[in-house]
């Protein structure tokens, strides 16, 4: 009974150590690491305390709390706290993945569920890393910059993704479209990835439909083809006919896909993080960001109701467009997050549409121009655009030869500022003017304040010279060069802008399937010239609309204009009284101010810790020359000061490690 009471008291002290050490370490504490450090600390210090002191006493006859005032017990508890923090520092030091909040991914799950989820993820992650090491990724990635080793690394990366299966294969297929980042050696190897998916059984299809549709299959469909016309890792597509005899296609989400996504997407991000820590090549390539963007997009793609919304948005945005493309009608009463029912359009994809082009006597160049101009209108005016325009997603309507856009699971969205930046970007290419291109780029990057105008314009001039006086502008080369310039100057495109530029590269490949001689940027010049002429002539062609627009603008300006005389008068009075001071220094920037304040606070803590240490050592030295009872108090104060010094220095070390990782 006494032993159980003693054990309970140890558990109470352990809980206090857990709480106090967490407060001293700071925020963003990893739960598993924190518990492990406390358990090891309590176990180690308790064994040392028992071996050096308690075993020589009858400690079971008197509880720990009765002897808590003893110096040995205080030293034991203090050692627990200090060693638990030191162990946490060691775990931080040898953890390459950086700081993560233990509860970040699992929300409010119970401890048991979090531990089970953590164990499952770690087991899968170890399996993935073992596959990567076995295929030689670690050995070859160190020499990835050497041309003779690129092929080996490409093969190792492709084999790793293929053997990991599932989401990893799809990620590799997406990487194979990133021609602006990867060399042709990687692209060729990654394009070999094929995801062989077994179609859902007839029973599974019926279960999904009965569970997801508002009515039974027999009440909605007069005919349903159980053999899928297409099957992929996320879902599959069936042909059917409604009761009103309209032909439709039904897209189903695979029942197991959400569980797979939940587990494997997190593992993929961990794998990308691990790969980036192993190689500066992967880090500079943005491999971690590529995996994060892919995961974010795929998490949306598994919710078919988002695809429904995307389709309706693009369809409504292009309703009055001069460039006629067809988008299938969505039957919203029957569509939800697991099922989409949409209009069936007869036709062929542009990759297999040679017979349709010939049968309908379609002008391939005009067809490609319609598709391109429609995409420009989506990007530059409506702000929402199809983000995956590969040949399989663009079809030819067999009735009249109209372009058909399919699969809106992936779309991009550009704000008004980014749309303006892309317009200036196209104008700069059309005018061959680096200053206009620079103005466009500054609206497309996140940290434009750090841009060096003169040097960037010189770099842009070099790009423009490379594409001058040629019959066809190489789109991949131009986009890749722009990404390189932006990266070299320490800038980064907004994610939506990067997606738009990559979509243009994909679209360029599709348009050249339609017409091998088609030049996307030559056509972009024509589009830009047309846009500028239309912008200039619009007030004359639409005087009524222009007048209404001016009235709206003036109505918004009038309140400000009314305040102007008073504000000017106040400004003059301040100037006359000498109260206006122009002030600009390093603290005027909020980011710089926060950084310096944080650095100064750490420096102050460091000085306090060192001061505690120096004073404590001095007190210990003085106590050697004092032989009365006061020496005990000096020693106690000295050891307490050393303890506080150690606590402060450990906390500062943990914060420094976090800053370096971030």
């Amino acid at each position: 009974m006494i032993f159980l009471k003693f054990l309970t008291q140890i558990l109470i002290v352990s809980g206090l150590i857990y709480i106090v050490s967490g407060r001293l370490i700071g925020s963003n504490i990893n739960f598993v690491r924190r518990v492990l450090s406390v358990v090891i600390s309590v176990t180690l210090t308790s064994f040392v305390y028992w071996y050096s002191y308690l075993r020589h006493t009858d400690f079971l006859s008197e509880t720990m709390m009765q002897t808590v005032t003893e110096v040995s017990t205080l030293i034991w508890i203090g050692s627990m706290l200090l060693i638990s923090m030191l162990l946490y520092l060691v775990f931080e030091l040898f953890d390459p993945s950086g700081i993560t909040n233990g509860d970040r991914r699992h929300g409010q799950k119970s401890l048991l569920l979090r531990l089970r989820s953590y164990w499952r993820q770690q087991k899968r992650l170890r399996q993935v890393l073992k596959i990567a090491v076995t295929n030689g990724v670690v050995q070859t990635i160190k020499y990835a910059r050497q041309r003779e080793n690129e092929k080996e690394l490409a093969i190792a990366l492709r084999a790793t993704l293929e053997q990991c299966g599932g989401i990893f294969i799809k990620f590799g297929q997406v990487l194979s479209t990133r021609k602006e980042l990867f060399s042709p050696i990687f692209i060729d190897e990654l394009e070999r990835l094929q995801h062989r998916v077994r179609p859902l059984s007839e029973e599974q299809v019926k279960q999904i439909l009965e569970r997801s549709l508002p009515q039974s299959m027999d009440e909605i469909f007069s005919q349903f083809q159980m053999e899928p016309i297409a099957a992929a890792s996320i879902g599959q597509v069936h042909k059917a006919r409604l009761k009103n005899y309209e032909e439709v296609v039904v897209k189903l989400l695979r029942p197991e896909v959400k569980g797979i996504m939940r587990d494997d997407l997190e593992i993929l991000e961990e794998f990308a993080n691990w790969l980036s820590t192993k190689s500066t090549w992967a880090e500079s390539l943005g491999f971690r960001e590529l995996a994060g963007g892919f995961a974010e997009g795929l998490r949306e793609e598994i919710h078919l109701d988002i695809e429904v919304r995307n389709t309706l948005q693009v369809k409504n945005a292009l309703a009055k467009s001069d460039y006629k493309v067809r988008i299938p009608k969505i039957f919203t009463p029957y569509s939800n997050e697991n099922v989409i029912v949409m209009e069936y359009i007869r036709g062929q994809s542009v990759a297999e549409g040679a017979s349709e082009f010939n049968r309908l006597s379609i002008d391939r160049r005009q067809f490609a121009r319609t598709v391109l101009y429609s995409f420009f209108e989506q990007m530059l005016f409506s702000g929402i655009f199809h983000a995956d325009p590969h040949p399989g997603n663009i079809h030819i309507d067999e009735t009249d030869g109209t372009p058909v856009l399919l699969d809106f699971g992936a779309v991009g969205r550009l704000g008004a500022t980014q749309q303006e930046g892309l317009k200036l970007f196209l104008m700069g290419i059309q005018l061959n003017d680096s200053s206009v291109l620079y103005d466009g780029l500054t609206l497309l990057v996140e940290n434009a304040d750090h841009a060096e105008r003169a040097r960037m314009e010189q770099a842009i001039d070099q790009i423009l010279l490379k594409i001058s006086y040629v019959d066809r502008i190489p789109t991949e080369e131009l986009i890749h060069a722009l990404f390189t310039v932006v990266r070299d100057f320490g800038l980064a495109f907004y994610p939506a802008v990067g997606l738009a530029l990559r979509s243009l590269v994909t679209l360029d490949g599709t348009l050249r399937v339609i017409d091998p001689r088609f030049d996307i940027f030559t056509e972009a010049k024509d589009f830009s010239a047309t846009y500028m002429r239309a912008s200039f002539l619009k007030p004359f062609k639409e005087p009524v609309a222009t007048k209404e627009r001016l009235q709206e603008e003036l109505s918004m300006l009038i309140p400000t204009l009314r305040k102007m005389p008073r504000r000017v008068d106040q400004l003059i009075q301040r100037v006359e009284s000498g109260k206006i001071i122009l002030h600009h220094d390093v603290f005027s920037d909020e980011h710089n101010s926060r950084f310096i304040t944080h650095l100064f606070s750490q420096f102050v803590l460091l000085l306090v810790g060192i001061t505690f240490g120096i004073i404590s050592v001095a007190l210990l030295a003085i106590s050697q020359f004092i032989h009365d009872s006061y020496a005990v108090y000096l020693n106690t104060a000295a050891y307490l000061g050393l303890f506080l010094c150690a606590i402060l220095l450990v906390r500062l070390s943990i914060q420094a490690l976090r800053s370096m990782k971030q």
Side-chain angles (χ1 to χ4, degrees):
M1 187 68 182
I2 296 175
F3 179 77
L4 287 176
K5 188 174 182 181
F6 182 75
L7 186 62
T8 303
Q9 291 172 343
I10 288 181
L11 291 174
I12 292 172
V13 172
S14 300
L16 291 173
I17 296 296
Y18 175 85
I19 294 170
V20 174
S21 65
R23 298 293 295 175
L24 290 173
I25 290 168
S27 59
N28 295 332
I29 303 171
N30 184 286
F31 172 77
V32 176
R33 220 175 294 158
R34 184 177 172 190
V35 169
L36 193 59
S37 63
V38 171
V39 169
I40 295 175
S41 171
V42 171
T43 304
L44 179 64
T45 54
S46 298
F47 174 77
V48 173
Y49 186 42
W50 171 81
Y51 188 81
S52 61
Y53 179 73
L54 289 182
R55 69 179 180 139
H56 303 297
T57 65
D58 190 11
F59 67 95
L60 290 178
S61 63
E62 45 182 305
T63 64
M64 183 181 66
M65 291 304 177
Q66 291 172 329
T67 60
V68 75
T69 55
E70 293 185 12
V71 174
S72 62
T73 306
L74 291 174
I75 292 174
W76 174 38
I77 295 174
S79 299
M80 280 187 198
L81 178 61
L82 183 58
I83 291 175
S84 68
M85 292 182 67
L86 286 170
L87 285 168
Y88 195 92
L89 174 61
V90 171
F91 292 148
E92 288 283 348
L93 186 63
F94 290 98
D95 176 30
S97 61
I99 285 294
T100 55
N101 188 340
D103 298 334
R104 173 175 61 89
R105 289 177 179 161
H106 303 290
Q108 300 300 318
K109 287 183 180 179
S110 67
L111 174 62
L112 183 62
L113 289 176
R114 287 208 304 269
L115 289 175
R116 188 179 68 177
S117 177
Y118 177 81
W119 173 255
R120 185 177 64 246
Q121 289 176 6
Q122 291 303 307
K123 183 179 179 182
R124 172 66 168 146
L125 180 59
R126 286 194 297 271
Q127 179 188 14
V128 170
L129 296 183
K130 181 179 179 182
I131 292 172
V133 172
T134 304
N135 285 315
V137 171
V138 177
Q139 291 83 351
T140 56
I141 202 169
K142 294 178 181 178
Y143 310 102
R145 286 292 186 188
Q146 299 179 17
R147 186 169 296 276
E148 62 271 18
N149 291 97
E150 274 198 342
K151 183 67 175 177
E152 294 179 25
L153 177 57
I155 293 172
L157 183 60
R158 190 263 305 160
T160 298
L161 296 174
E162 196 167 44
Q163 290 172 29
C164 290
I167 298 305
F168 289 83
I169 291 179
K170 190 171 180 65
F171 180 54
Q173 292 170 337
V174 170
L175 292 183
S176 70
T177 66
R178 299 299 303 272
K179 297 180 181 180
E180 82 282 3
L181 292 179
F182 292 94
S183 68
I185 294 174
F186 279 91
I187 299 300
D188 292 343
E189 196 65 35
L190 292 172
E191 283 179 343
R192 295 174 56 189
L193 287 169
Q194 297 296 327
H195 199 174
R196 298 174 181 85
V197 181
R198 180 180 297 176
L200 295 170
S201 67
E202 184 174 328
E203 186 61 32
Q204 286 176 309
V205 171
K206 289 181 178 179
Q207 286 178 358
I208 294 171
L209 291 173
E210 293 294 342
R211 186 173 62 247
S212 304
L213 292 173
Q215 300 168 267
S216 67
M217 286 181 60
D218 294 335
E219 292 178 294
I220 296 174
F221 304 110
S222 61
Q223 181 183 348
F224 192 94
Q225 183 177 310
M226 284 296 173
E227 186 71 22
I229 57 176
S233 56
I234 293 178
Q236 63 185 45
V237 180
H238 296 258
K239 188 178 176 183
R241 190 183 294 273
L242 297 175
K243 285 291 187 179
N244 61 2
Y245 302 106
E246 285 190 76
E247 286 189 300
V248 295
V249 291
V250 182
K251 184 174 182 179
L252 308 176
L253 188 71
R254 300 181 77 89
E256 76 282 1
V257 73
K258 289 185 179 179
I260 294 172
M261 293 289 181
R262 183 192 62 237
D263 296 335
D264 265 16
L265 282 180
E266 292 181 358
I267 301 302
L268 175 62
E269 290 178 290
E270 293 286 351
F271 170 73
N273 187 52
W274 171 82
L275 202 60
S276 297
T277 60
K278 292 292 181 182
S279 168
T280 54
W281 170 80
E283 177 69 27
S284 63
L285 196 66
F287 204 81
R288 184 188 290 108
E289 289 74 20
L290 286 172
F294 168 77
E296 184 179 350
L298 214 55
R299 287 188 181 105
E300 281 196 5
E301 199 172 331
I302 61 174
H303 295 280
L304 296 185
D305 52 341
I306 294 178
E307 182 176 342
V308 170
R309 184 188 65 196
N310 294 341
T311 307
L312 294 173
Q313 282 184 307
V314 177
K315 188 179 181 69
N316 293 334
L318 298 180
K320 298 180 180 179
S321 173
D322 294 331
Y323 312 107
K324 297 302 179 184
V325 296
R326 191 170 176 186
I327 297 173
K329 172 187 174 183
I330 301 289
F331 294 87
T332 52
Y334 308 133
S335 302
N336 50 54
E337 65 176 359
N338 297 314
V339 175
I340 298 179
V341 180
M342 70 179 78
E343 173 189 10
Y344 175 69
I345 299 177
R346 295 181 177 276
Q348 293 285 338
S349 74
V350 293
E352 303 168 349
S355 59
E356 291 298 306
F357 281 122
N358 294 331
R359 184 178 68 84
L360 298 170
S361 300
I362 298 172
D363 184 339
R364 286 175 175 258
R365 183 180 180 82
Q366 186 58 45
F367 185 95
R369 185 183 288 121
T370 301
V371 173
L372 176 64
Y373 285 8
S374 176
F375 269 84
F376 281 154
E377 190 165 4
Q378 293 170 44
M379 289 180 180
L380 304 179
F381 299 100
S382 66
I384 179 169
F385 61 91
H386 194 304
D388 191 20
H390 63 75
N393 283 340
I394 299 179
H395 283 219
I396 311 160
D397 190 334
E398 69 174 27
T399 57
D400 57 7
T402 303
V404 181
L405 304 186
L406 302 175
D407 192 358
F408 289 85
V411 301
R413 290 177 173 83
L414 295 169
T417 303
Q418 295 160 354
Q419 292 172 35
E420 189 63 31
L422 277 178
K423 291 172 188 175
L424 289 174
F425 170 75
L426 293 176
M427 285 184 192
I429 294 174
Q430 195 267 335
L431 298 172
N432 202 40
D433 190 330
S434 60
S435 63
V436 176
L437 254 175
Y438 173 85
D439 291 337
L441 284 178
T442 55
L443 297 176
L444 301 176
V445 295
E446 293 180 335
N447 39 1
D449 293 340
H450 303 294
E452 302 175 58
R453 179 161 195 135
R455 290 184 59 214
M456 274 194 74
E457 284 191 11
Q458 289 181 1
I460 293 169
D461 271 328
Q462 293 299 313
I463 296 174
L464 292 175
L465 286 172
K466 288 180 181 178
I467 63 174
S468 299
Y469 309 109
V470 293
D471 295 333
R472 180 183 171 277
I473 299 174
T475 305
E476 292 176 22
E477 184 179 333
L478 175 59
I479 299 295
H480 178 71
L482 287 171
F483 270 90
T484 303
V485 166
V486 168
R487 192 183 303 118
D488 289 346
F489 281 87
L491 307 174
F493 283 116
Y494 287 107
V497 174
L499 180 61
L501 294 176
R502 291 192 294 271
S503 298
L504 284 178
V505 174
T506 304
L507 181 62
D508 178 58
T510 301
L511 296 177
R512 281 192 282 118
V513 168
I514 298 169
D515 181 1
R517 295 171 299 176
F518 194 82
D519 181 4
I520 188 172
F521 276 105
T522 299
E523 297 295 336
K525 286 183 176 183
D526 293 340
F527 181 86
S528 181
T530 303
Y531 165 74
M532 286 190 291
R533 285 196 300 271
S535 299
F536 178 75
L537 296 174
K538 187 174 181 179
F540 302 101
K541 288 184 176 180
E542 302 176 3
V544 176
T546 303
K547 178 184 175 183
E548 291 176 353
R549 180 65 177 170
L550 286 173
Q551 288 174 343
E552 291 174 2
E553 295 288 344
L554 283 172
S555 65
M556 290 189 292
L557 281 173
I558 284 173
T560 304
L561 292 173
R562 285 177 178 173
K563 297 175 184 177
M564 285 300 294
R566 185 170 65 254
R567 289 180 176 176
V568 171
D569 182 57
Q570 290 173 350
L571 178 63
I572 292 172
Q573 289 178 7
R574 285 177 174 270
V575 172
E576 289 175 347
S577 61
K579 291 182 179 178
I580 289 185
I581 300 174
L582 294 178
H583 181 69
H584 181 82
D585 59 14
V586 70
F587 290 99
S588 60
D589 181 77
E590 185 180 354
H591 177 77
N592 291 341
S593 178
R594 281 201 308 268
F595 172 76
I596 293 174
T597 303
H598 177 69
L599 191 65
F600 182 72
S601 65
Q602 287 190 320
F603 180 69
V604 170
L605 281 177
L606 178 63
L607 285 180
V608 171
I610 292 173
T611 303
F612 271 123
I614 293 173
I615 292 174
S616 301
V617 172
L619 288 175
L620 284 175
I622 292 171
S623 67
Q624 302 302 313
F625 302 100
I626 298 176
H627 302 290
D628 54 20
S629 59
Y630 290 108
V632 176
Y633 299 111
L634 286 177
N635 284 331
T636 302
Y639 286 121
L640 181 61
L642 287 174
F643 177 74
L644 292 174
C645 173
I647 292 290
L648 287 172
L649 292 179
V650 171
R651 178 186 171 96
L652 283 171
S653 300
I654 291 173
Q655 289 181 345
L657 277 174
R658 289 176 175 175
S659 298
M660 285 189 293
K661 289 177 181 179
Q662 290 170 353

